Amino acid sequence: MDQALYNSLVDISDSPAARAGKADLMLDRARWAATVFDRYDRAATMAIVDAVAEAAHAMAGEMATKAVEETGFGVAEHKKLKNELTARPLVEHYRDQDFVNSRIDDARKIVEIPRPAGVIFALTPSTNPVATLNYKILLAMMTRNAIVISPHPAARAVSIEAATALARAAEAAGAPSGAIQILETPSIPLVEAFMTSPKTNVILATGGTPMVRAAYSSSNPAIGVGPGNAPVFVDATADIGAAAQAIVASKSFDNSILCTNESVLITVPEVENQLRMALKSAGAYLCTDEETAALRRFLFHPRGFNVEAIGRDATWIAQECNIRVPANTRILVTPITQIGVEERLSKEKLCPVLALHVAKTRTQALSQARAVLRLTGAGHSAAIHARDEAVIMDYAALVEAYRVVVNAPCSQGAAGFATNLAPTFTIGTGFFGRSSIGENVGPQHLVHWTRIAYNADRKVPFGNFQGVGRAFRGQLPTAPADGVPGTAPPRFAAPTPAPSAASSLDAATKDELRRLIAAELRDLLRK
């Protein structure tokens, strides 16, 4: 991307009032759509969900190819699989969960009424643009929310095409116009306007740390995630051959673009040689000390990770470092002697380069795995290959991660595609990672419940709510021809609070927001 595009993204030529006006047009339309959507029954809702899932599945391959062409990240074949997994399988995982009808608990004398968030402002990354977009849109449709997508500028064209197709499919199936929208000309000031608007009900942030921090600093409710840096421990009790196959398959999947990929492989001396041989057999290239030093220099610079390497083939990275490797090399393995700030290869690497550290003992290995996540990636993911349940429990209890994948590829497993965890493209990092959610984010996080609670005294009778539905009285306004709705009657319109210190950012905070977001864009756009 050229400098002109970067300049457009940080453009502040519009007045704050003009930017707020642009945001208001889309948010008003989304709010109207959310108000209408809230009246749909479960059958109508699931018809829309299924239509969107089918559309996402049908264009999975085409969008995968276009994503790779536009961003230069990853492998089209693998992105196609991810795009498919965030379509039908995602819906099937949640099909039996009802986010539309009221729930009646006779024993506790409680009735629960679902309350959708309303308007979701969703940030999507350049690394998994279409899969994340599919996933967030389907979560919104399952819970009868409206969603406005802000695509990463490095994946703008493919994101707009995909979102437009899914919006058409949703509306053809009966969704309100404006339930799915996307910013076609995103800029940092415009994103700020959406983030801080009182008409945004929740921000669903997936992307780099600057974007997530910006979401949490907006004064609006936000669901965000932190970076990954998954350690994988291969214990002496593991099936070494199977472990090596799983690790190489995971680390090479979509050229390691998923934040759930294994970052540092830790093992013990008694199986080191066997593991090295198994890794080679699986397609890994074991680097010498000199080659490891060359990779370290190439992958990391004073500003951070070299974005030129993100999602690139192992052979391409090797060539850039003047390392001769076999043509069928799937990943590069770099032996390291320590883990910590001084060893940059023990940090997150969104490319098929895997650090290898041999601990002196199992106890030290577990401590080193904990250190990897404390360096970066706290709360995210970890993996272990072992057949001793006590070791697995010790490892899971020690590492500060909310997902510990056992005897499976971590890239797919932590995201719910090689395990029975919830399928997701937004990984909650919880208290460890300074996130509001520790589990894999799903539709349950986009709907809250009003609870009707009767007197607990058994002498006080509980009402009969079987067959009692929600009564919506009065008519909703019709959206004008331009798609921007008028003002809904007060009964159906959520109140818009007046600007205050809590709903607008002070100058210092806004400058910090702009600096954080610009830092990520500058790195990604410098090529």
Side-chain angles (χ1 to χ4, degrees):
M1 296 186 182
D2 58 23
Q3 187 64 34
L5 177 55
Y6 172 74
N7 290 340
S8 72
L9 292 168
V10 298
D11 178 39
I12 56 173
S13 58
D14 281 348
S15 68
R19 294 194 295 271
K22 291 178 183 178
D24 278 348
L25 288 176
M26 295 184 74
L27 290 171
D28 282 344
R29 185 181 179 201
R31 176 163 294 223
W32 177 85
T35 306
V36 175
F37 208 174
D38 189 38
R39 293 183 163 207
Y40 284 35
D41 62 19
R42 189 163 189 270
T45 300
M46 291 309 297
I48 294 165
V49 169
D50 286 333
V52 171
E54 288 302 314
H57 178 86
M59 63 182 183
E62 179 187 0
M63 293 299 104
T65 299
K66 289 182 177 181
V68 173
E69 290 174 350
E70 183 175 2
T71 67
F73 300 159
V75 180
E77 179 185 357
H78 295 166
K79 287 196 182 298
K80 176 178 182 290
L81 178 60
K82 289 192 287 189
N83 293 348
E84 291 173 343
L85 289 170
T86 50
R88 293 171 180 167
L90 177 65
V91 174
E92 291 308 314
H93 182 86
Y94 290 107
R95 186 172 295 279
D96 293 336
Q97 298 186 37
D98 188 346
F99 303 104
V100 177
N101 292 312
S102 298
R103 304 186 300 209
I104 303 170
D105 187 336
D106 291 299
R108 295 192 302 147
K109 296 163 69 174
I110 289 177
V111 180
E112 298 176 324
I113 303 172
R115 310 303 292 268
V119 178
I120 301 167
F121 183 59
L123 300 163
T124 57
S126 57
T127 48
N128 299 292
V130 178
T132 306
L133 183 145
N134 291 348
Y135 154 78
K136 292 189 175 183
I137 287 176
L138 279 169
L139 262 55
M141 296 300 99
M142 288 182 209
T143 49
R144 299 174 300 158
N145 285 296
I147 186 168
V148 179
I149 301 286
S150 177
H152 194 286
R156 173 180 167 273
V158 70
S159 298
I160 291 173
E161 184 175 353
T164 301
L166 297 188
R168 283 198 301 263
E171 291 180 23
S177 175
I180 300 171
Q181 300 179 67
I182 187 166
L183 300 184
E184 294 194 355
T185 55
S187 68
I188 293 172
L190 187 57
V191 168
E192 284 180 9
F194 274 92
M195 280 187 172
T196 58
S197 172
K199 297 180 181 179
T200 295
N201 294 107
V202 65
I203 302 168
L204 189 54
T206 305
T209 299
M211 285 292 190
V212 175
R213 286 178 180 170
Y216 277 126
S217 301
S218 69
S219 82
N220 274 321
I223 300 173
V225 300
N229 192 36
V232 54
F233 172 48
V234 177
D235 185 54
T237 66
D239 180 331
I240 302 300
Q245 290 287 341
I247 291 168
V248 173
S250 177
K251 190 63 180 172
S252 62
F253 182 72
D254 203 17
N255 284 341
S256 202
I257 206 76
L258 280 169
C259 57
T260 48
N261 75 81
E262 293 88 341
S263 181
V264 180
L265 168 57
I266 301 171
T267 193
V268 287
E270 51 263 45
V271 294
E272 177 189 359
N273 291 337
Q274 184 183 356
L275 179 59
R276 283 174 172 266
M277 292 176 62
L279 288 169
K280 290 179 181 179
S281 297
Y285 177 81
L286 276 294
C287 296
T288 65
D289 291 344
E290 292 76 14
E291 291 166 341
T292 294
L295 279 164
R296 186 184 294 111
R297 289 191 299 270
F298 176 72
L299 294 178
F300 294 92
H301 52 68
R303 293 191 308 277
F305 190 76
N306 180 3
V307 297
E308 297 290 344
I310 293 177
R312 293 283 195 169
D313 294 339
T315 52
W316 182 91
I317 294 172
Q319 184 176 8
E320 291 296 303
C321 297
N322 295 317
I323 300 172
R324 296 175 61 88
V325 300
N328 62 349
T329 297
R330 301 171 68 187
I331 71 170
L332 304 172
V333 177
T334 58
I336 59 176
T337 59
Q338 63 177 330
I339 289 170
V341 177
E342 300 83 4
E343 177 50 83
R344 289 169 290 176
L345 288 169
S346 59
K347 297 180 179 180
E348 183 181 32
K349 301 169 288 296
L350 294 180
C351 66
V353 176
L354 176 69
L356 169 62
H357 178 70
V358 182
K360 294 179 180 179
T361 64
R362 176 188 284 166
T363 299
Q364 186 186 68
L366 269 57
S367 296
Q368 294 288 45
R370 178 183 175 91
V372 169
L373 287 168
R374 289 203 157 188
L375 179 64
T376 183
H380 207 288
S381 307
I384 181 172
H385 293 268
R387 286 180 284 202
D388 186 329
E389 292 82 2
V391 174
I392 295 169
M393 283 293 290
D394 286 347
Y395 182 77
L398 191 64
V399 294
E400 293 181 342
Y402 292 105
R403 279 147 295 272
V404 177
V405 175
V406 181
N407 299 332
C410 194
S411 287
Q412 300 93 321
F417 301 118
T419 62
N420 289 317
L421 292 175
T424 190
F425 270 80
T426 299
I427 301 287
T429 55
F431 303 131
F432 293 135
R434 302 174 64 81
S435 173
S436 58
I437 290 173
E439 61 184 321
N440 287 0
V441 176
Q444 70 273 23
H445 300 114
L446 300 177
V447 59
H448 288 171
W449 299 80
T450 292
R451 290 173 172 85
I452 303 171
Y454 271 60
N455 190 320
D457 190 334
R458 293 185 179 182
K459 295 177 182 179
V460 179
F462 179 49
N464 181 8
F465 290 91
Q466 297 297 334
V468 178
R470 298 168 62 187
F472 292 98
R473 296 179 177 85
Q475 293 185 347
L476 286 168
T478 301
D482 63 1
V484 180
T487 302
R491 175 177 176 80
F492 301 114
T496 301
S500 66
S503 61
S504 60
L505 302 180
D506 58 38
T509 304
K510 291 183 74 172
D511 287 344
E512 178 66 6
L513 264 172
R514 185 175 288 111
R515 186 190 67 77
L516 288 170
I517 299 172
E520 180 183 8
L521 295 178
R522 188 177 297 111
D523 275 348
L524 285 170
L525 298 175
R526 68 185 182 83
K527 59 183 179 183

